[in-house]
Every structure is written in C-alpha cells, then in structure tokens.
Amino acid sequence: NVFFYSGGAVAEPMVPAPTPTIPASGVISLFSNAYTDVTVDTWSAGWDNADVADVQVAGDDVKLYTNLVFAGIEFTSQTIDATSMTHFHMDIWTPDPTALPAVFKIKLVDFGADGAWSGGDDVEHELIFDATTTPALITESWLSFDLPLADFTGLTTRGHMAQLVISADPGPNTVYIDNVYFYDSA
C-alpha cells in the first residue's frame, strides 16, 4: 500500500504491529487495541511541531505522525501513577530513511509530587535512538521499544506521569505508532 503527498508516493505498513502479550493487570495503556486505554488529553499538543491522524493498518488502530519534528502527547488532566511499572513500550514503523543522521527520541515527563506543571519538582528524561543503538532504527518494519524505566535516569519520580514527547530531527518525519503503554515486567 502507498499513500500520496505532494512529494509523491510513500510506503505504509501492510501488517499491524505485533499484538502485545503482557497481561492487562500489569499494563497502563495510553494507546492499544489490546488494552483499555487511560485518558490522553492530546496526541499533538498546541506547542508541538507535527501532524497526527488516526488511521488503520489491516484493521488495527494506529496513530500516524507526519511532518514530525516533535510531538507532545499529554495526559495532564489525569496524570499516571507509574511507580509500580518497570518498562515503557511503543511500536513504530516508518517509510523514511533511518541511516545516520536520522534519530528518534522518546522523552517521558513526570510533574513531581505536586502533580502540576512548573511546580519546581518536574523531572524528565529523553532516550535517543538511531541506526547504531539497541534497538536500532529500521525502515519499513515494525520496531518494538521495550525500555526499562530505569534507563530514563533523570526520571526520578513516576507518580504523576503527564507527558510523552516523541521527536525525530532530522527524521524520520513520517512515523506510525501503536501499543503505547507502561508495564510491569513481573
């Protein structure tokens, strides 16, 4: 399958992302057909630089980001208590080249004990992935990130998770995402 934009045809995934197998009792899902999702206020905040659309891949709901530089995904009205979670998961698929200097970044933000933005106790950490990291960015194939929350070393609190920021500069700028959730590996 292909879709068209002003620059020509672009490939799109033919198969859905892998179906998650973590028991629902150990998951806090932001977006997945496999789980009941918590409230997400926006998948593209007013301050970000991206476009998002709800699309389907082989009958599976996914988010399609285009013109992605950075996208703010906010769950600020009902923050998430992820203190008992051990990992963050996200599946992505891109038609764009993923050779260096392409990068994909995942940032998690916790609003601290007061649960409010700019309360003086906000913490965050961003992980950066490219063609040389584990996992390595790949083109035209689903890539599953199963990231230990301990790897987000600046994320010293997780009781009021409020934002996920994905970015890709200089690219990939077209990214499908699915199965976005926190989980307990036990």
Side-chain angles (χ1 to χ4, degrees):
N1 290 0
V2 294
F3 66 90
F4 292 89
Y5 72 105
S6 60
V10 176
E12 63 183 22
M14 300 294 292
V15 297
T19 302
T21 58
I22 305 289
S25 61
V27 170
I28 300 171
S29 178
L30 293 144
F31 181 78
S32 176
N33 281 358
Y35 304 111
T36 300
D37 299 331
V38 297
T39 299
V40 173
D41 300 309
T42 183
W43 286 91
S44 182
W47 47 263
D48 74 15
N49 188 354
D51 298 311
V52 66
D54 291 313
V55 299
Q56 287 196 330
V57 173
D60 184 42
D61 297 321
V62 298
K63 301 286 183 184
L64 169 58
Y65 285 89
T66 53
N67 305 309
L68 175 65
V69 177
F70 60 95
I73 300 152
E74 295 189 318
F75 28 101
T76 55
S77 66
Q78 296 179 41
T79 61
I80 294 171
D81 182 354
T83 53
S84 65
M85 301 291 112
T86 60
H87 287 73
F88 175 77
H89 178 92
M90 174 188 287
D91 294 316
I92 71 166
W93 191 100
T94 183
D96 296 346
T98 52
L100 291 173
V103 295
F104 186 78
K105 301 175 186 179
I106 300 172
K107 179 190 287 188
L108 295 174
V109 180
D110 184 272
F111 281 0
D114 67 358
W117 169 247
S118 262
D121 58 356
D122 301 356
V123 293
E124 63 184 48
H125 192 88
E126 182 174 68
L127 299 178
I128 302 172
F129 302 92
D130 62 31
T132 68
T133 59
T134 302
L137 285 184
I138 50 178
T139 300
E140 293 188 16
S141 184
W142 283 104
L143 171 61
S144 293
F145 291 98
D146 280 295
L147 307 173
L149 289 174
D151 288 358
F152 292 85
T153 55
L155 196 64
T156 55
T157 59
R158 298 196 300 258
H160 292 96
M161 300 295 292
Q163 293 176 328
L164 161 64
V165 180
I166 58 172
S167 57
D169 190 19
N173 303 115
T174 299
V175 178
Y176 294 80
I177 70 167
D178 197 4
N179 302 318
V180 182
Y181 56 86
F182 296 94
Y183 71 95
D184 179 1
S185 62

